[in-house]
Amino acid sequence: MTQTAGLTRTERVADTDIRFRRRGTGDTALVFVHGFLDDQYVWEGVIDALAAPGFEYVQLDLAGSGDRTASGGPFDLTRFSRDVGAVVEALNKPFVLVGQSMGTLVAELVAAGHSFPALGLVLLSPVPLAGVGLPAEAAEQFRSLGGDADGQRTVRRQLSVTLAEAELDRLVVTGARIPEPVVRDLVDCWNDGDPLGQTPSEYQGPVLVGRGAADGFVTDELVKAHVLPRFRAPESFAVQGAGHWAHVEAPAEVAARIEAFVTGLLTAAGSTPQAPGRGWRDAFASKTDTAFADAFAEDIVLEASVLAIPVQGRDQVKATMSAASRIYESLEFVRETTAGPRTYLEWEATAFGGHEIFGVTVLTKDDEDRISHVAIHHRPLEAALRFSAELGERLAGSVDPGHFYNAH
């Protein structure tokens, strides 16, 4: 029994129709992106066969497909990569992206464009990011597949080798549900591609490229000429006796290839990697002096809009941050960006009976990967002043009152 037998949870990205499923509890996420005419469930066989320690598995439907056939447009690569990026943000942990066919374009764009880059990228039956470039007549044959169950069945039979009848039936039902205008837009995605595909990939991390050896659409020649050269030292494999849907035709073999690749990523790193702001977020969740101290340099400096003068030194700063974390009734980190030694965390919180407070925290790390400087910006001003006064009262006797606002 693999670790994926655990509870499956469905979550939603706030203020969107994007829902994603999570299986397992690892510190690193494997995020699966489906291809043309498919949905998130196309990955079930692979995920059931995976036993990669330290990973959880995440699936979602692209807009217009699966459970999101009622979504409004646009249905293009920008929209799809933004949606997958939003799921990655919500996961708030290191991640590896796994895409198939059209989904490989989306996966690469997210891996290259996300503020915290992917640990690795798996491209299965990869369409070149520059697009396939079918002539108009050939492309129109695919555009006309919307709502045409028989036509879709024929295409899937032609491009697969060992697709079981039950799986073929399910895939046909899935594809036939996608609205006709959406299907036409999806064809434009993988046929026209993205201009970034004309140059070496902006993602230069570890890449695994795989295909079914009998895939007549994504051929060996296509991969060697237009996919592999764009990456730095990519690994590649071919699944014998499989076609375009190798992950459905031979899920155990595909899972074994993915498992070896992602396990190697963590082995090469020496340990499970963490997002730059992870220690800070974990400390807020713990709300203890010890949790904050573990992340701090000895000579750390804390500046904040709720402080009249900075607080300096590990003991003083950890006491201040621990007390501050207990004032918040709720606190959610909604966005993270890293540039060099600085990490920027945007957050939303409530305090004082549900009053909203918004802010940005800037963490600067030293050469030993310890936080040496913190700058916290609160808004609105009224809430910041009240927060400062409350913080001063809670720290009376342990931190100089001159650091805090006093309304009296």
Side-chain angles (χ1 to χ4, degrees):
M1 186 70 69
T2 72
Q3 73 170 23
T4 62
L7 180 66
T8 298
R9 298 95 66 201
T10 298
E11 299 182 16
R12 181 174 65 87
V13 177
D15 302 320
T16 74
D17 71 336
I18 307 168
R19 286 178 169 78
F20 56 98
R21 295 194 306 150
R22 310 177 70 167
R23 299 171 67 179
T25 57
D27 292 331
T28 305
L30 265 174
V31 181
F32 293 85
V33 187
H34 66 77
F36 176 58
L37 298 180
D38 292 338
D39 66 1
Q40 62 178 293
Y41 298 99
V42 78
W43 294 106
E44 291 292 289
V46 169
I47 293 175
D48 285 343
L50 277 169
F55 285 88
E56 75 161 319
Y57 311 116
V58 180
Q59 299 156 267
L60 73 150
D61 290 320
L62 298 177
S65 301
D67 294 332
R68 300 180 66 197
T69 54
S71 295
F75 303 101
D76 56 25
L77 294 175
T78 299
R79 163 76 176 285
F80 298 147
S81 58
R82 184 185 68 213
D83 285 1
V84 174
V87 171
V88 168
E89 291 281 355
L91 294 172
N92 199 27
K93 62 172 64 177
F95 62 97
V96 177
L97 287 157
V98 183
Q100 187 267 345
S101 192
M102 184 190 75
T104 63
L105 283 71
V106 180
E108 181 184 339
L109 291 172
V110 176
H114 198 269
S115 58
F116 182 57
L119 297 178
L121 183 61
V122 180
L123 306 177
L124 187 63
S125 305
V127 174
L129 186 59
V132 177
L134 293 178
E137 183 177 348
E140 185 58 31
Q141 293 179 12
F142 286 97
R143 292 191 181 97
S144 65
L145 289 175
D148 181 2
D150 290 339
Q152 292 188 25
R153 183 181 297 274
T154 297
V155 170
R156 290 186 190 272
R157 283 193 186 279
Q158 291 174 341
L159 295 179
S160 62
V161 178
T162 56
L163 198 57
E165 199 66 26
E167 286 290 352
L168 176 59
D169 289 343
R170 196 198 76 79
L171 292 176
V172 169
V173 170
T174 297
R177 291 179 56 227
I178 302 174
E180 294 180 32
V182 176
V183 171
R184 301 184 73 86
D185 287 346
L186 296 180
V187 173
D188 291 341
C189 286
W190 55 257
N191 196 46
D192 298 344
D194 186 279
L196 289 175
Q198 302 293 342
T199 58
S201 178
E202 293 186 2
Y203 179 75
Q204 289 295 299
V207 176
L208 176 66
V209 178
R211 57 178 292 274
D215 187 347
F217 188 76
V218 177
T219 63
D220 184 54
E221 293 75 17
L222 180 72
V223 170
K224 288 179 177 178
H226 301 290
V227 177
L228 295 178
R230 297 185 56 252
F231 298 100
R232 179 176 57 83
E235 302 176 38
S236 63
F237 68 94
V239 180
Q240 299 302 316
H244 193 66
W245 289 272
H247 55 322
V248 182
E249 299 173 72
E253 182 171 348
V254 171
R257 297 283 190 166
I258 294 174
E259 187 174 318
F261 175 69
V262 299
T263 302
L265 295 179
L266 298 194
T267 301
S271 62
T272 302
Q274 291 189 341
R278 180 71 176 272
W280 183 263
R281 295 190 301 270
D282 288 349
F284 261 93
S286 176
K287 300 185 178 184
T288 65
D289 288 11
T290 301
F292 282 103
D294 288 343
F296 291 165
E298 185 68 35
D299 57 351
I300 185 173
V301 175
L302 168 65
E303 297 183 279
S305 52
V306 300
L307 296 175
I309 56 176
V311 175
Q312 301 184 42
R314 179 184 291 165
D315 290 343
Q316 292 281 283
V317 173
K318 74 179 184 182
T320 302
M321 292 310 310
S322 178
S325 69
R326 291 193 291 270
I327 295 176
Y328 297 115
E329 295 158 355
S330 69
L331 189 144
E332 179 182 4
F333 293 97
V334 296
R335 190 168 292 105
E336 176 175 334
T337 300
T338 298
R342 290 187 177 85
T343 296
Y344 302 81
L345 296 167
E346 184 178 351
W347 49 268
E348 300 173 358
T350 59
F352 314 120
H355 288 275
E356 293 184 327
I357 304 175
F358 304 92
V360 174
T361 298
V362 183
L363 308 175
T364 303
K365 289 193 171 185
D366 59 20
D367 293 338
E368 298 180 353
D369 206 35
R370 296 279 187 177
I371 299 173
S372 59
H373 187 275
V374 182
I376 307 177
H377 308 273
H378 296 70
R379 66 180 195 278
L381 177 60
E382 181 181 1
L385 294 176
R386 184 174 179 182
F387 194 97
S388 181
E390 175 69 20
L391 192 57
E393 290 180 7
R394 296 192 181 206
L395 289 168
S398 59
V399 176
D400 191 315
H403 289 285
F404 309 103
Y405 171 74
N406 188 339
H408 304 295

